[in-house]
Amino acid sequence: MDKNLDVLFLGGLFPKEKENDILNYSRGSIQNAANNLQWGIALGLDANLNKPIKILNSLYIGSFPKRYKKLCIDTYPFSHTQGANEDINVGFLNLTGIKNFSRFLTLKPYVKKWAEKETDKKKVIIAYAMTPTFTYLLNYAKKINNNIITCLIVPDLPQYMNLSSKRNKLYDSLKKLEIKQISKDMNYIDSYVLLTKYMRDALNLNISKPTVVIEGIATDVFKHVESISKEKGIKTVLYSGGLAKKYGIIELLNAFGRLSNENYRLIICGSGEAEYDVIEAGKKDSRIIFKGLLPREEVLKLQKSSTILVNPRPNNEEYTKYSFPSKIMEYLSSGVPMVGYKLDGMPSEYSDYFFPIKVDDDGFYKTLNEVLSKSKDELDKKGFRAKEFVLTYKNQREQAAKIIQMLNGVEKV
């Protein structure tokens, strides 16, 4: 494996020294999943290469003024790891409607400078997320220097990036235009990192186009997380994440509501369109506790302290073939057993490491009831095996090695 690559990572992660500022400026939920996956990939690439990658960053944040308190985002250097002295966060005008165009204009000179710089190493530019801004920059880099290897990480297909029922016609129309632009740019993208095998067909990729599937990256984030003490005899079910109704939140509330044991608790953290339903359910059933949006550290504590973690996303729509929810990897890393549906996008190798929800009319209720009735020893063993599996085979070094192996197989023009 060639470890001497000149890699530019084009992303939108949160520099560690600015993370608190980003949290304070944000209104509502932030893109924790995207941030964590990008950091995992970046550090994993570093672990497999002779020198750290270069990061060209443009923050993935909400727009001013509704979802972020700052209009003008600053440009500043940072270092994502020891020895990384060329990282830069590029500012932009964070205003709805012109944000993405501003992002492109400010990033473009940096991409040009890197693309034109001569080196005896194979030059690789990797972009995170299938957005028109980043796909066009891959297009741009390739036109400057046709020998550059372009690579796109696809965590989600564009048409499934917003599953809220509150989308409007304008959003759908703009999304179609974005997808049209992305399709043109794909002619200049040499390789792809996908989260599920089904993405390849959905993207209609040429059979000769190199791809690698990594699902996600497991990190030992719970290593230094403290458990929260709870009342003796209480068993807790936890869901943390977005509250879109398509994620099965209503089904979770209904299934838990049918459980008769007064010592059971359902804790829900997050925000979204189903918030009202969760709050109303809590008024009727005091065992249902809504925490709203919490700092990530608090969510991790709750996860580590729960009896079971639940991913209620049903396997009843097309998009599940193209999705590997980040919470699955996080749940499996926790050491706490997970209950969830076997989604089409999950490889079969994961099946032994969680409790699958039965697929019938009462399946969700039956599964919760059955799993919560198991002994602590049985639950602990399930959680431990899952943790060992993902931390051994899905860690950042192992997953990034697959990416580099793919890139080594892409020939210069």
Side-chain angles (χ1 to χ4, degrees):
M1 182 168 68
D2 185 0
K3 296 184 176 183
N4 198 31
L5 304 177
D6 179 9
V7 178
L8 180 68
F9 183 86
L10 180 60
L13 52 74
F14 302 157
K16 296 298 184 182
E17 60 269 34
K18 297 290 185 177
E19 201 166 64
N20 286 335
D21 290 341
I22 293 167
L23 289 172
N24 291 332
Y25 281 124
S26 295
R27 302 179 191 271
S29 59
I30 62 173
Q31 296 201 36
N32 278 320
N35 182 52
N36 296 334
L37 182 53
Q38 287 177 90
W39 270 106
I41 292 171
L43 295 176
L45 291 170
D46 288 342
N48 284 281
L49 296 171
N50 291 335
K51 289 185 177 181
I53 63 173
K54 305 175 185 70
I55 296 181
L56 182 58
N57 204 57
S58 184
L59 296 175
Y60 282 153
I61 52 176
S63 299
F64 176 87
K66 189 174 181 180
R67 297 191 59 230
Y68 204 75
K69 300 174 187 176
K70 196 172 182 181
L71 174 61
C72 296
I73 306 304
D74 300 327
T75 295
Y76 52 83
F78 70 100
S79 178
H80 74 277
T81 192
Q82 186 174 0
N85 53 18
E86 297 183 63
D87 300 335
I88 186 160
N89 184 77
V90 182
F92 55 91
L93 193 61
N94 189 30
L95 190 63
T96 302
I98 63 171
K99 172 181 179 175
N100 289 333
F101 184 64
S102 174
R103 197 191 289 267
F104 169 74
L105 288 179
T106 55
L107 288 168
K108 189 176 178 181
Y110 294 93
V111 172
K112 185 174 189 290
K113 182 180 179 181
W114 174 82
E116 290 178 338
K117 187 176 181 180
E118 293 186 6
T119 177
D120 57 353
K121 302 176 184 177
K122 179 187 277 189
K123 294 176 77 71
V124 178
I125 180 170
I126 303 173
Y128 180 90
M130 199 169 215
T131 66
T133 301
F134 280 11
T135 59
Y136 192 77
L137 285 167
L138 293 180
N139 175 339
Y140 178 68
K142 191 74 172 176
K143 286 180 177 177
I144 293 173
N145 181 350
N146 203 35
N147 285 322
I148 289 173
I149 305 302
T150 53
C151 178
L152 180 64
I153 301 169
V154 188
D156 297 286
L157 299 180
Q159 59 268 43
Y160 298 121
M161 285 183 181
N162 184 352
L163 295 174
S164 171
S165 60
K166 295 182 179 180
R167 293 181 326 196
N168 55 42
K169 290 182 179 179
L170 177 60
Y171 174 89
D172 290 338
S173 297
L174 291 174
K175 183 59 68 175
K176 287 180 181 178
L177 290 176
E178 286 187 0
I179 292 172
K180 188 175 181 180
Q181 177 60 54
I182 290 169
S183 296
K184 292 180 180 178
D185 296 332
M186 287 172 68
N187 293 319
Y188 300 89
I189 299 174
D190 299 312
S191 56
Y192 293 82
V193 178
L194 311 176
L195 262 60
T196 81
K197 65 180 182 180
Y198 298 103
M199 283 180 163
R200 184 181 180 93
D201 290 337
L203 293 171
N204 197 28
L205 297 178
N206 187 291
I207 194 170
S208 63
K209 193 78 74 170
T211 61
V212 65
V213 177
I214 65 166
E215 300 108 43
I217 291 181
T219 59
D220 199 3
V221 68
F222 292 93
K223 186 175 182 179
H224 301 294
V225 174
E226 296 180 3
S227 297
I228 301 171
S229 60
K230 57 186 177 184
E231 188 180 342
K232 188 176 180 180
I234 297 297
K235 294 186 176 183
T236 56
V237 179
L238 177 75
Y239 171 80
S240 58
L243 299 182
K245 291 184 179 180
K246 285 194 174 183
Y247 291 166
I249 306 303
I250 306 303
E251 290 73 17
L252 169 60
L253 293 171
N254 292 337
F256 182 85
R258 293 180 60 190
L259 299 173
S260 59
N261 195 315
E262 289 300 318
N263 289 328
Y264 293 167
R265 301 288 183 270
L266 171 61
I267 300 175
I268 294 180
C269 310
S271 67
E273 61 183 346
E275 277 185 47
Y276 173 81
D277 302 273
V278 176
I279 293 170
E280 288 301 303
K283 291 177 181 178
K284 297 173 184 177
D285 186 343
S286 61
R287 300 175 303 161
I288 298 174
I289 302 164
F290 179 50
K291 296 280 190 177
L293 278 173
L294 293 176
R296 177 163 168 75
E297 294 75 17
E298 293 302 312
V299 174
L300 294 177
K301 286 180 181 179
L302 285 169
Q303 288 179 0
K304 189 171 182 178
S305 309
S306 296
T307 306
I308 60 172
L309 305 173
V310 62
N311 180 36
R313 183 178 298 197
N315 193 46
N316 60 356
E317 294 200 38
E318 182 73 7
Y319 78 89
T320 59
K321 292 168 63 175
Y322 315 118
S323 169
F324 191 98
S326 60
K327 71 167 53 60
I328 289 179
M329 198 66 82
E330 186 166 280
Y331 282 0
L332 295 177
S333 303
S334 70
V336 176
M338 183 188 87
V339 168
Y341 287 99
K342 170 62 175 69
L343 302 176
D344 286 336
M346 294 175 66
S348 58
E349 62 180 326
Y350 287 85
S351 297
D352 291 336
Y353 301 104
F354 70 99
F355 294 108
I357 296 173
K358 294 179 173 63
V359 185
D360 58 47
D361 290 341
D362 293 324
F364 207 154
Y365 157 72
K366 289 176 183 176
T367 305
L368 286 179
N369 191 47
E370 180 182 307
V371 174
L372 286 168
S373 299
K374 292 181 182 294
S375 68
K376 183 178 185 301
D377 183 60
E378 189 175 354
L379 293 175
D380 287 346
K381 285 180 179 178
K382 191 77 165 184
F384 177 78
R385 288 184 65 245
K387 180 178 179 179
E388 287 294 294
F389 167 67
V390 295
L391 291 182
T392 301
Y393 299 106
K394 307 297 179 179
N395 63 66
Q396 56 194 31
R397 178 187 284 272
E398 292 292 322
Q399 298 292 66
K402 298 173 187 175
I403 297 173
I404 295 172
Q405 203 166 30
M406 176 194 67
L407 293 170
N408 280 329
V410 181
E411 297 297 326
K412 293 182 181 180
V413 175

